[in-house]
Amino acid sequence: MEEIIQAINAEDPAPLLPAGLRGLPAALVLFVSAYLFTCLTLYLSYYSRIRPPQAGLAALVAFAVITALFMAWSGVWAAAGRIFRQRTCFAAHISIASAAYLAWNVLTLIVSAAAFSFDADKAFRPLKLVVFWFCAVWAITCHLGLVSKLRRKTVLIISLLLVTVLSGVWLGFTNLSEKMAPGSGKAVFDLWPPMFRLVKGKPAGEFAAKLSDLRIRVDKAADSEK
Amino acid sequence: MKRIYTLLLFALLAGGARAARAEVRTEDVFGKFKNQVIQVRILEKSSGNKAEVGSGFAIGASGLAVTNYHVVSSLLWQPGDYRAEAMLSDGDTREISIIMLDVAHDLALIRISGKPLAPFKLAQKLPLKGTRLYAIGNPRDLGLTIVEGTYSGVLEESLYEKLHFTGSINPGMSGGPVIDGAGNVVGVCEATEGNQIGFLVPERFISGMLASAGPEIKAEEFVPDITKQLLANQESLVNRLSGSPLAAEDLGPFRVPGRLSAAFRCWAKAGEEKREPYTTITSACNTDDNIYVKESLLTGNISFSHYLLEGKGLDPIQFSALEEYYSRMTGSHGNNFGIHDEDMTDYECDNSMVTTNGITFKASLCLRGYKKIKGLYDLSWTGASLDESRRALVSELDLSGITPGNAEKFLKRYLEGFSWKK
């Protein structure tokens, strides 16, 4: 509250990032958590002892990649802060990037597990995009809030526009690459251990009857191409 | 004494028969029948250059001839770009028109303009295995040649009846006759697998065409005719395969769909890598037959594979990552290769769980349609079993050129073929 009053007195926008996340200790904790989470997901998808590099080497590569990406991303924002507000807040930018990365990955994993558990890939698929969109908007808003003197509302509008446009470009690109390699990504499903399964499968006859719906979709797509 | 004379008489007769057989000389066969064989040329209209060449031969009355459907197919699909002509053994060229098609058996009945050539006779019955046969045609556009070979029987592992000819068939000989020493047509050159392994269309399918030959087909009738034939063919194929109980075989603790008919070739392979914390066994069946529709489109193939995965050295999440890798590898629609956008729609897919005889699969069901052959579709199904945390079955099924109704019937039957081993 005190910070907000100070910000009002200084005619600054109210801070978007909680004070506890702006220091170096919080940045380190969040960065290490992001790294450990990456190592965990790598380990859990690590079924071959031969094809991928050794586990230790994979962890090292992950560390190098994550460090380089986070440093570069936060560095750009810190430099922008130095230019526009004469302060870098490098640790705060690292915190934002790490928290957004962690939230995005953990939530995506939860969505994937839920989609599997309830056998509802179609219903949960848009949620993955929503999770990404939400995390990205939050991160960009926080970064912008630190580097600019713009009002909260303006910052939020800029973030929304930026992330929506970038998501649109990304979706367009994905759609285009799917058109160039037809059917390449559509048969993909996430698998989890059997204990995650909460619903029964459809009987064979009911499952095979889905072909009628697929036929309608195929014919519709063919007609729209004409 | 009388017995000795009788034996001598038999010996003389047998020797005479052998001599009679030995009298059939290849050069005589070639000299006698070469004028009845033509080169079928597909020419690009604007340049007049050859786009494709094949062979053909005179049959029946009134200037009819037979060649392969695949030799003349570009003329049917792109009539504005190509025209066809026949070149006779003396170098004379004649116009040709298409009378009838048998797409499933890769045959086309054509009419050669001008004075009819002397026709070949059909053999009416298959020769004995090992009988010497002669293939006449234009290999690689190098001129009319004759190739000696032997008849090796009816191909059993085939959806569409074919004869096995042990002799060198090369590109350009497609549509040419394979005859016995008396000049009777046993089959039509269709394909080769190299190393003197050749495949022939049996002459009985020519008889069928000749019996129902009508007037020349109009250009706008080709595609509806091909569509009708492909629809009828898949109908009879599914009925044939549904007629007998589904063959199932053991794979680890599972019973899985096996060799559905003699037309399927099945193979199995155990994973070689012993250092991995998991093992794999692959069992795959497919029909080698494809129906040639056009250069960029083959259809009529059925294939399925099963992968048994066991990962004793993996934890359950790692094992599900392995299973996911296999399901993505199998469900990546490899048969898209070579398929053009103008021929097929994109796949539409639906993912869900299916339970059959106590086995639950996470499965992906995909369908795509043929743009120019209305009513025909390709189905692709991939399933990964979810019953055990360190052992799973990943299976895939691909059906090409099938109606959704028949695909549903086939898929249901296929799914019901999975069970636990008792």
Side-chain angles (χ1 to χ4, degrees):
Chain A
M1 192 63 188
E2 202 177 305
E3 275 191 330
I4 294 172
I5 292 164
Q6 274 177 12
I8 292 167
N9 290 338
E11 291 188 343
D12 271 353
L16 292 161
L17 193 68
L21 292 179
R22 270 181 258 164
L24 188 63
L28 276 174
V29 168
L30 283 167
F31 177 77
V32 170
S33 305
Y35 169 65
L36 289 178
F37 181 80
T38 307
C39 286
L40 181 70
T41 49
L42 270 177
Y43 170 76
L44 292 176
S45 59
Y46 195 73
Y47 55 81
S48 175
R49 299 279 182 268
I50 299 162
R51 264 172 285 168
Q54 293 298 312
L57 187 63
L60 211 64
V61 170
F63 182 75
V65 170
I66 284 180
T67 307
L69 282 176
F70 280 33
M71 293 295 154
W73 175 260
S74 304
V76 168
W77 286 109
R82 169 62 63 194
I83 293 165
F84 296 111
R85 291 195 70 178
Q86 289 75 50
R87 62 182 196 191
T88 50
C89 303
F90 187 73
H93 287 300
I94 287 275
S95 290
I96 295 167
S98 306
Y101 172 85
L102 254 178
W104 173 44
N105 279 285
V106 170
L107 289 173
T108 305
L109 213 61
I110 291 170
V111 168
S112 161
F116 175 84
S117 298
F118 297 103
D119 191 22
D121 293 19
K122 211 173 173 181
F124 279 85
R125 197 173 294 142
L127 264 185
K128 287 188 184 175
L129 192 67
V130 170
V131 162
F132 169 77
W133 185 85
F134 183 81
C135 293
V137 168
W138 178 81
I140 302 283
T141 308
C142 289
H143 283 308
L144 273 177
L146 279 176
V147 302
S148 72
K149 281 192 170 183
L150 297 170
R151 292 183 177 280
R152 261 192 188 197
K153 208 173 168 183
T154 318
V155 165
L156 193 64
I157 290 170
I158 292 173
S159 305
L160 281 172
L161 280 174
L162 196 69
V163 174
T164 309
V165 167
L166 286 177
S167 306
V169 169
W170 179 59
L171 277 179
F173 180 75
T174 313
N175 197 29
L176 196 71
S177 38
E178 241 182 43
K179 272 199 185 316
M180 289 165 85
S184 53
K186 288 188 174 171
V188 169
F189 46 71
D190 295 335
L191 283 179
W192 289 79
M195 65 180 122
F196 281 78
R197 182 162 67 89
L198 298 177
V199 294
K200 283 182 179 173
K202 293 177 175 65
E206 194 185 321
F207 178 84
K210 280 167 171 277
L211 278 167
S212 310
D213 291 340
L214 285 176
R215 180 198 189 154
I216 294 168
R217 278 163 54 189
V218 168
D219 291 348
K220 211 170 159 184
D223 289 343
S224 68
E225 276 181 35
K226 279 178 189 168
Chain B
M1 194 61 166
K2 193 177 174 184
R3 199 174 164 191
I4 291 169
Y5 281 130
T6 313
L7 282 172
L8 274 173
L9 186 65
F10 271 125
L12 275 171
L13 285 173
R18 267 200 300 275
R21 275 203 297 274
E23 271 172 22
V24 178
R25 296 190 312 164
T26 309
E27 57 266 42
D28 294 340
V29 174
F30 184 68
K32 195 171 172 189
F33 300 108
K34 67 176 182 184
N35 294 336
Q36 292 161 246
V37 181
I38 57 168
Q39 183 183 46
V40 179
R41 300 166 148 207
I42 306 298
L43 308 168
E44 197 277 318
K45 270 185 182 171
S46 61
S47 66
N49 285 334
K50 283 175 278 189
E52 282 167 52
V53 289
S55 301
F57 57 97
I59 196 84
S62 54
L64 292 178
V66 164
T67 186
N68 281 139
Y69 160 80
H70 77 254
V71 172
V72 295
S73 68
S74 40
L75 186 70
L76 310 175
W77 291 99
Q78 292 169 265
D81 299 329
Y82 299 105
R83 66 183 182 84
E85 67 178 23
M87 192 175 83
L88 311 189
S89 61
D90 59 5
D92 187 18
T93 56
R94 307 255 189 98
E95 279 189 10
I96 58 175
S97 53
I98 294 164
I99 302 294
M100 201 176 181
L101 303 170
D102 182 348
V103 185
H105 298 106
D106 196 12
L107 287 176
L109 192 63
I110 57 178
R111 176 165 284 128
I112 307 168
S113 63
K115 190 184 164 197
L117 305 177
F120 277 101
K121 282 181 190 160
L122 297 176
Q124 307 297 345
K125 63 172 189 174
L126 292 174
L128 293 172
K129 217 168 179 174
T131 303
R132 181 152 297 278
L133 298 177
Y134 306 87
I136 308 179
N138 296 272
R140 298 192 183 277
D141 197 25
L142 297 172
L144 200 61
T145 58
I146 187 164
V147 173
E148 278 187 43
T150 47
Y151 173 68
S152 299
V154 177
L155 211 64
E156 284 179 10
E157 290 175 331
S158 177
L159 283 177
Y160 312 104
E161 195 180 316
K162 283 188 183 107
L163 307 180
H164 182 183
F165 173 70
T166 305
S168 295
I169 293 179
N170 284 298
M173 293 177 81
S174 291
V178 176
I179 54 177
D180 59 19
N184 299 310
V185 176
V186 173
V188 182
C189 287
E190 190 202 10
T192 178
E193 270 188 18
N195 294 323
Q196 305 229 20
I197 299 172
F199 302 116
L200 316 177
V201 184
E203 57 81 23
R204 76 182 181 90
F205 295 110
I206 304 171
S207 316
M209 287 180 94
L210 286 173
S212 50
E216 183 183 331
I217 310 181
K218 289 176 194 149
E220 63 270 22
E221 289 171 0
F222 286 132
V223 176
D225 187 38
I226 291 168
T227 305
K228 201 173 140 192
Q229 289 188 30
L230 291 174
L231 286 169
N233 179 66
Q234 61 85 40
E235 190 71 42
S236 99
L237 184 64
V238 171
N239 286 339
R240 217 180 337 146
L241 292 174
S242 311
S244 50
L246 185 89
E249 60 189 28
D250 291 346
L251 187 62
F254 301 97
R255 294 277 294 161
V256 296
R259 201 172 175 217
L260 300 180
S261 83
F264 284 79
R265 283 170 189 264
C266 297
W267 309 95
K269 192 174 190 275
E272 285 174 23
E273 194 47 74
K274 303 296 176 205
R275 282 187 292 154
E276 292 286 25
Y278 62 87
T279 57
T280 59
I281 297 172
T282 308
S283 169
C285 293
N286 73 297
T287 56
D288 278 347
D289 310 85
N290 280 308
I291 296 176
Y292 181 100
V293 180
K294 54 193 278 208
E295 195 179 2
S296 56
L297 186 61
L298 302 174
T299 187
N301 186 277
I302 302 172
S303 65
F304 53 91
S305 314
H306 312 295
Y307 303 86
L308 177 69
L309 310 175
E310 286 196 67
K312 285 177 186 154
L314 298 171
D315 68 51
I317 293 188
Q318 286 176 321
F319 184 75
S320 60
L322 171 75
E323 196 180 356
E324 191 177 292
Y325 167 77
Y326 267 82
S327 65
R328 287 183 185 201
M329 187 183 73
T330 57
S332 60
H333 308 307
N335 54 357
N336 266 313
F337 183 75
I339 296 285
H340 290 194
D341 269 356
E342 72 254 27
D343 295 322
M344 305 293 299
T345 68
D346 197 359
Y347 273 110
E348 289 290 333
C349 302
D350 195 297
N351 299 344
S352 64
M353 289 180 194
V354 54
T355 304
T356 174
N357 298 320
I359 302 172
T360 299
F361 290 98
K362 177 77 184 181
S364 171
L365 180 62
C366 299
L367 194 74
R368 67 176 174 182
Y370 289 60
K371 286 183 181 170
K372 288 169 186 158
I373 304 168
K374 293 289 169 201
L376 279 191
Y377 297 79
D378 284 355
L379 171 141
S380 176
W381 176 85
T382 305
S385 76
L386 303 171
D387 301 286
E388 295 177 308
S389 50
R390 289 188 181 84
R391 186 164 56 181
L393 177 71
V394 175
S395 179
E396 65 166 337
L397 167 71
D398 284 298
L399 304 174
S400 69
I402 192 159
T403 60
N406 279 330
E408 186 179 331
K409 212 190 296 180
F410 195 99
L411 177 65
K412 185 172 178 280
R413 197 158 179 264
Y414 180 80
L415 291 174
E416 285 167 355
F418 292 98
S419 62
W420 292 103
K421 198 160 81 180
K422 282 170 189 161

